[in-house]
Amino acid sequence: GVLLGEAAASGGGEVAGDEACLALLGRLGQVEHAAGNYEAALAIHREVLAAERAALGSSHPSVGASLNNLGILLRALGRLDEALVCFDEAEAIYAAIDPEHPILARLANNRAVVHLYRHEFAKAERDFTAAFEGMRDQLGADHPLLPGIEGNVAMAIFAQGRHDEALAIHRR
């Protein structure tokens, strides 16, 4: 791709197979995303993902991380079906490495947001609950991220009409 070619030309070496260089280019994609340069971010994420698959294999954890990043961008662009495919593929990579892999909770949270955007509240509840339980197990019950995720569980429950249950969670 264009970026990999530019990086190789400026550095005088092969970039496409260099895991550290690919990771830096992936971070550049995240910067472009954060700056609102979505098309540039999309091109970078796709280029890095293709190079990682070629150099590292489709089951490498770096490919999973890139799929997650691409999924987050696609979700922001409203391309929800594509985002879910990325999150699901990333989940398969990490679950094959370790069924208790720490990133699985974050992937569940990312997927839950897609379901929330689609008004698939039962699926959102399932994935927010998985994210909450996974992060609680990893980070401890007093971690400051947990109330926000638990609030998302309550919101998904509330949206399904289970108001008393949602309010009980929200008031904890």
Side-chain angles (χ1 to χ4, degrees):
V2 174
L3 280 175
L4 292 176
E6 289 175 5
S10 67
E14 177 59 35
V15 174
D18 185 328
E19 190 173 352
C21 188
L22 292 172
L24 290 173
L25 287 172
R27 291 179 78 124
L28 179 61
Q30 291 174 313
V31 168
E32 293 291 357
H33 177 177
N37 301 323
Y38 298 123
E39 292 307 315
L42 189 58
I44 293 167
H45 283 310
R46 290 192 188 281
E47 189 172 341
V48 168
L49 180 59
E52 285 176 338
R53 286 185 199 266
L56 306 172
S58 290
S59 61
H60 194 279
S62 292
V63 172
S66 290
L67 284 162
N68 184 48
N69 292 336
L70 179 58
I72 291 168
L73 174 60
L74 290 166
R75 184 182 66 202
L77 293 170
R79 294 163 66 171
L80 303 180
D81 291 339
E82 293 173 80
L84 276 179
V85 169
C86 290
F87 296 142
D88 289 344
E89 189 175 345
E91 179 182 42
I93 290 169
Y94 287 108
I97 294 167
D98 177 0
E100 301 296 319
H101 198 289
I103 199 170
L104 292 172
R106 288 195 333 227
L107 287 165
N109 192 74
N110 289 340
R111 192 175 42 251
V113 173
V114 172
H115 293 308
L116 192 64
Y117 289 174
R118 295 168 118 179
H119 295 183
E120 298 171 344
F121 300 119
K123 290 178 181 179
E125 176 190 357
R126 176 199 65 207
D127 288 341
F128 279 135
T129 299
F132 175 79
E133 291 171 354
M135 288 187 193
R136 182 192 58 213
D137 293 347
Q138 292 167 32
L139 305 172
D142 295 328
H143 196 278
L145 284 176
L146 292 178
I149 299 167
E150 191 173 37
N152 290 339
V153 173
M155 176 182 49
I157 290 170
F158 191 87
Q160 295 174 74
R162 295 169 21 225
H163 302 139
D164 291 342
E165 183 182 350
L167 289 170
I169 293 169
H170 183 71
R171 290 181 176 137
R172 284 191 241 196

